[in-house]
Amino acid sequence: MRIAIPVWYDKVSPVLDTASRLLIVEVEDREELSRFEIYLDEPELSRRCVRIRAMDVDILICGAVSRPFWKLLAASGINVIQNISGNPEDVLEAYLKGTLFRSGFLMPGCKRTREKYGRNDIQECHAQRKTRKTGCTRNPKEASSEYKA
């Protein structure tokens, strides 16, 4: 499985649409096998999506992302985990341990309570999104993919 994280200096890039660097990590059985970085210099979202898909990315962990870009990525089969901030190494480690939603990496605006981040909270977040009760726009596939890392 390949995990991608947009990087800005030593942080997860706050906006995926304008990110210029993407860290790609190959993972098997929760262990890192390899990593490399690519530069995203494509200005059009559709071309960015094609470039990311060409890297065989399965999961993309990012900060904010526009709805059009999110839809392109999701339609390409990429599970997007958004509204995440922090140091990319720490984010990756938390994802691999299954603690990403319990460790304070959520950006302001994702209206889940920060005290509980279990599987039910993720599913609840999706249900609320459908009824427009929250600003969280996570990919429903993400709920199950986080626990399969």
Side-chain angles (χ1 to χ4, degrees), residues 62-98:
C62 63
V65 60
S66 69
R67 184 172 289 283
F69 197 17
W70 176 81
K71 284 183 177 183
L72 286 170
L73 293 164
S76 296
I78 298 170
N79 291 328
V80 179
I81 301 173
Q82 59 182 306
N83 294 323
I84 301 297
S85 65
N87 177 283
E89 297 300 324
D90 296 340
V91 167
L92 178 64
E93 182 180 342
Y95 176 79
L96 294 175
K97 288 181 178 177

Side-chain angles (χ1 to χ4, degrees), residues 1-6 22-38 50-61 77-81 92 95-96 145 148-149:
M1 163 176 55
R2 282 197 176 169
I3 300 169
I5 303 173
L22 195 63
L23 171 66
I24 300 176
V25 181
E26 181 106 26
V27 174
E28 187 175 308
D29 296 326
R30 297 185 186 264
E31 294 292 325
E32 182 178 327
L33 300 177
S34 64
R35 67 171 53 205
F36 59 94
E37 217 174 78
I38 64 168
V50 168
R51 178 90 186 274
I52 294 169
R53 185 67 249 160
M55 297 292 115
D56 293 325
V57 169
D58 300 296
I59 297 167
L60 195 146
I61 303 171
I78 298 170
N79 291 328
V80 179
I81 301 173
L92 178 64
Y95 176 79
L96 294 175
S145 66
K148 292 180 184 175

Side-chain angles (χ1 to χ4, degrees), residues 29 38 40 43 45 48 61 69 74 88 112 117 122 128 141:
D29 296 326
I38 64 168
L40 296 171
L45 296 180
R48 282 177 168 255
I61 303 171
F69 197 17
R112 282 185 271 182
Y117 296 112
I122 294 170
Q128 289 176 352
K141 292 181 182 178

Side-chain angles (χ1 to χ4, degrees), residues 1-20:
M1 163 176 55
R2 282 197 176 169
I3 300 169
I5 303 173
V7 178
W8 181 66
Y9 293 101
D10 62 344
K11 300 176 183 170
V12 173
S13 182
V15 181
L16 177 61
D17 300 53
T18 58
S20 59

